[in-house]
Amino acid sequence: MEFYVHYLSFFVITAEGEDTASGKRYRHYQTMDAEQYEASELKQFLDGEFARISKRKVERNPSSEQTPTKIGRFVVEPGHEWTSNPNYNLFQGLRQAGSPDEFQRLADDMVQMYMDTSAVRGGAFIVASAKLPSYFDEPFVFVMKCDFEPKIARISEVSLVAQVEMAISARNIKSIQYPYMPEDGMLEEQELKIHQASHARYFEDFLKFVTYEKPMPEIVNEQVVHMVHQYIEQKWEEQSSEERLDEEEKLEIWATSDKRDSLQEKWEHEQVMEAAVQLTQHKQDLELKFKLDGVTIKGQLADYGNKLHLARLGDRYVVLIEGDSFQFEKGVSPVELLKPQELTEVLKRIDGESSESSSE
């Protein structure tokens, strides 16, 4: 995947006192056309980054809010065109710029937006338009924020950066690629891909009119709460029923709790199975993870009712996991020498131990 730079603007951000907004300023060093880029020291440093950014995997609905790579979508009010979004217009302007001066002016607007964020950091800010001629005639826009190495080489007006590979850190480069390319040869012009290696979100925050897809756990939570509301509506038709209001209050507490220490014991097995099937239609490998006392059980939601079962044995809970074969990690354990009893024998043993414990 070989990109050819059309235009590139290089800015340097300096920060005196990283914890405050004061003392932050930027300076434009150079805007290059294709010929100047080919002869510059930036080429060796950046050529691989364009391909790396483009190939970086991203999930539309990530597994965590803190995931480093996200898909963003330009916010547009219903009934309005994409051109009503100023962020969209800026990226489109950079794609369509017809001269180095026009590109520099728009790149300057981009870096000014970045400077208005609450946690700006010093380093190199690079805006580039680069074509992928094997697939498209129009260029992509890349925005990159790179930190400087502690022993920074001197920035030169003539050569831009005397030794780029020494001066700019390739680690933790924050980047934006527009448009988003979900597959080779396919573009989503209403979307972009953003990558920020640290947990700080300031790099995405400077695009004020871009929204990001919800993480999968948040989507699942919303769907489960919606299912529970449907269950309540079916069980209690009267809106003002005291029992219904009490149930809704308990639901609110349950749904917003970070840790939940017990089963709710409200739904039958068939209801849970039906809900699990609905959720796994969106994402087959949804995680199911919980603890029974101090033992962690980790699998997939699709395993519930198929390979993984929850049961009650007297006053205690039992988790049953079925399968065809075991796999153990490095290091041997006496458990690996076991000749398993039949399940009925194990249940009798557990029940007997539980009875003895209760009598004591």
Side-chain angles (χ1 to χ4, degrees), residues 32 94 111 125 144 149 154 170 185 199 215 222 225 248 304 323:
M32 308 174 183
L94 287 163
V111 73
F125 193 93
M144 289 165 283
E149 293 287 2
R154 179 178 296 277
H199 292 301
E222 290 177 354
V225 170
E248 288 177 340
Y304 175 79

Side-chain angles (χ1 to χ4, degrees), residues 11 13 26 90 104-117 120 125 206:
F11 301 84
I13 297 170
Y26 75 95
L90 179 55
Q104 177 187 331
R105 177 179 58 81
L106 294 166
D108 195 272
D109 291 342
M110 183 73 75
V111 73
Q112 284 189 48
M113 287 165 49
Y114 173 76
M115 295 296 290
D116 289 337
T117 58
V120 177
F125 193 93
F206 81 98

Side-chain angles (χ1 to χ4, degrees), residues 333-349:
S333 161
V335 176
E336 296 178 51
L337 303 173
L338 175 70
K339 181 180 179 181
Q341 295 175 300
E342 291 296 324
L343 177 61
T344 53
E345 294 300 314
V346 174
L347 292 176
K348 285 179 183 178
R349 175 161 51 82

Side-chain angles (χ1 to χ4, degrees), residues 21 30-31 72 87 99 134 151 178 180 187 229-230 237 248 252 259 261 274 296:
Q30 190 173 348
T31 294
N87 292 161
S99 69
S134 54
K151 295 181 180 179
Y178 173 77
Y180 170 50
L187 292 181
H229 276 298
Q230 287 182 319
E237 294 184 0
E248 288 177 340
E252 188 69 27
K259 291 186 177 181
D261 298 326
E274 183 180 344
T296 299

Side-chain angles (χ1 to χ4, degrees), residues 198-320:
S198 68
H199 292 301
R201 296 179 56 182
Y202 66 91
F203 194 65
E204 72 182 65
D205 288 344
F206 81 98
L207 299 176
K208 299 184 184 300
F209 304 101
V210 172
T211 186
Y212 298 90
E213 299 286 353
K214 292 181 180 179
M216 185 54 66
E218 184 178 339
I219 293 174
V220 171
N221 287 350
E222 290 177 354
Q223 290 183 336
V224 171
V225 170
H226 177 68
M227 290 174 182
V228 175
H229 276 298
Q230 287 182 319
Y231 159 76
I232 291 175
E233 289 176 1
Q234 292 170 1
K235 189 172 181 179
W236 291 282
E237 294 184 0
E238 294 184 20
Q239 296 283 338
S240 58
S241 165
E242 186 174 336
E243 288 182 337
R244 172 172 176 158
L245 294 175
D246 182 58
E247 190 78 358
E248 288 177 340
E249 183 179 351
K250 290 178 180 177
L251 163 66
E252 188 69 27
I253 295 171
W254 168 75
T256 56
S257 299
D258 291 333
K259 291 186 177 181
R260 295 169 296 283
D261 298 326
S262 62
L263 290 175
Q264 295 296 305
E265 301 199 21
K266 298 181 182 296
W267 286 7
E268 300 297 332
H269 165 73
E270 291 75 18
Q271 290 174 283
V272 175
M273 280 290 293
E274 183 180 344
V277 168
Q278 290 184 39
L279 292 170
T280 52
Q281 286 177 347
H282 298 279
K283 195 172 191 297
Q284 183 64 32
D285 59 349
L286 286 176
E287 185 180 67
L288 175 62
K289 184 178 179 180
F290 59 93
K291 284 186 177 182
L292 183 58
D293 291 343
V295 180
T296 299
I297 293 91
K298 183 177 179 181
Q300 295 185 356
L301 184 59
D303 293 333
Y304 175 79
N306 297 307
K307 297 181 179 180
L308 190 149
H309 314 270
L310 276 63
R312 182 186 287 280
L313 187 64
D315 295 331
R316 297 169 65 79
Y317 295 114
V318 176
V319 177
L320 302 174

